[in-house]
Amino acid sequence: MSSESSYAKDPYREQLAFGQRTQILRTRRGLTRDQLGGLVGRSGSWVKAVETGRLKTPALPMVLRIAEVLRVRDLSDLTGDQSLRVSLFAGPGHPRFAAVREALNALQLGPGHDAPPDAEHLSARLARAWRARHSAPNHRDVIGSLLPDLIRDARDAVRRAGTVADRKAAQAALAEVYFLAQFFCAYQPDAPLVWRVAERGMTAAQDSEDPHTIGLAAWLTTQAHRERAHLDAADAVTLETLRYLEPMLPDAGTDVRAVAGALTVEAGLTAARRGETGTAWRYWDQARALAESLPAGYFHPVTSFSRAVMGAHAVTVAVELHAGGESARQAARAEADAIPSRPRRARHRIEQARAYHLDGQPDAALATLAQAHEVAPETVQYNGYARRIILEEADAKSPARRRRASELASRLGLLTA
């Protein structure tokens, strides 16, 4: 099937074969066959054979790996089997998502009816929101309850700012609200909204002219690009922002140096996604040096960058490089309990589970996901990698492993999707 005919068909509506659906979804993601093959551990010729029907539909583990790379909305979108209606990366949608989306989409042209909160009050509310995000096991629920009012008030503060300095400070606060919203909207069933929030956050950050805020906007934008496999765009944002921050670092405060460290980690993860082993670990070493320059107990409230998370980042670098043995070694070495943030600790556990699964240790992977669920259930519930591992092992040959995976799937609501 030609590229032109790929665009003419809709894999969500027509009764197409698995290979045809794969080709259409791959084309929409902007991936070549070689790129898709590399990301799932196969060759470009293997992908072509699947797409043209010369090879039959792969086994479930490979189907899930392809779904992971293509970020399909629902497993049935890739397989065509409506009995497999299981949401993967988009997630089922948080109960508070509709209210947050409504607040983000609302058009506020004039000033609000009430006086806007002063900058100090807005800053205090944001600080409380970040603390809640790191400490609450149901952090999405807590943040989702706070975001609608924060979005409205931060926008109002920008409109009513009386001086240039006040307006820049208000833009920095608004950007931070958008950063919080981007965390909440990740893995929710509206991918374009995540991009709109990321773009608004970057615009507000640039208007603030605050290096720390600009660095945070770049950090989140880089992740959004990499999740869509836009690796060149991810590098462009990361490296340009690092060039902007670098001259400031000798005299910069702790937060700016932490953001530079977080961006350096992102550069390493993008290199790892490309399979560039030496480059990925070089960036990790540079980030570790920045982390060691920070106070021992320091923990950045947005990026979580600190000495405590460098082991977690090492696990992710190894996993993205598809280095099974190395990723398992890093996973066994990294200390999750040293990470003070519940969602970041749970996400580290998920990365450890990915490492064990990649290394052929599915029982260890499931046990680690169970630990992640105990720390922050919502982090696991809305994470596509965790969902893929659990779904795959729910079809395992081992009865004990099937039972354990099925129990986790039930707790996540995966079996009722």
Side-chain angles (χ1 to χ4, degrees), residues 12 36 55 64 74 106 108 110 152 155 181 212 240 250 252 264:
Y12 305 125
L36 175 57
L55 288 178
L64 290 167
D74 192 287
Q108 295 175 229
R152 181 198 64 215
R155 286 174 171 172
H212 176 248
E240 178 61 29
T264 305

Side-chain angles (χ1 to χ4, degrees), residues 217-299:
W219 179 74
L220 283 161
T221 301
T222 294
Q223 293 181 28
H225 279 306
R226 195 172 55 249
E227 286 304 302
R228 299 288 292 176
H230 300 161
L231 303 186
D232 290 342
D235 267 342
V237 172
T238 306
L239 300 180
E240 178 61 29
T241 309
L242 283 172
R243 281 191 289 270
Y244 162 73
L245 293 175
E246 196 170 272
M248 309 176 193
L249 294 183
D251 301 315
T254 305
D255 286 349
V256 172
R257 285 186 288 126
V259 168
L263 283 165
T264 305
V265 169
E266 293 305 315
L269 294 177
T270 303
R273 184 71 64 89
R274 283 197 173 98
E276 299 170 353
T277 303
T279 303
W281 287 115
R282 175 169 57 82
Y283 279 125
W284 182 85
D285 282 336
Q286 292 174 3
R288 180 178 58 180
L290 279 166
E292 289 175 352
S293 76
L294 302 174
Y298 175 86
F299 190 83

Side-chain angles (χ1 to χ4, degrees), residues 91-173:
H94 194 277
R96 295 192 184 275
F97 178 63
V100 173
R101 177 168 53 187
E102 182 180 354
L104 288 167
N105 288 336
L107 183 63
Q108 295 175 229
L109 297 177
H113 297 297
D114 302 322
D118 59 39
E120 185 177 347
H121 178 62
L122 195 56
S123 177
R125 286 167 61 189
L126 272 167
R128 284 198 300 272
W130 287 116
R131 285 197 299 271
R133 181 183 180 272
H134 289 301
S135 61
N138 59 331
H139 55 93
R140 281 185 182 267
D141 191 60
V142 174
I143 296 306
S145 69
L146 299 174
L147 272 171
D149 287 343
L150 275 171
I151 293 165
R152 181 198 64 215
D153 290 346
R155 286 174 171 172
D156 205 19
V158 170
R159 283 194 305 273
R160 298 201 196 199
T163 66
V164 172
D166 287 345
R167 183 174 179 83
K168 287 181 179 180
Q171 289 283 16

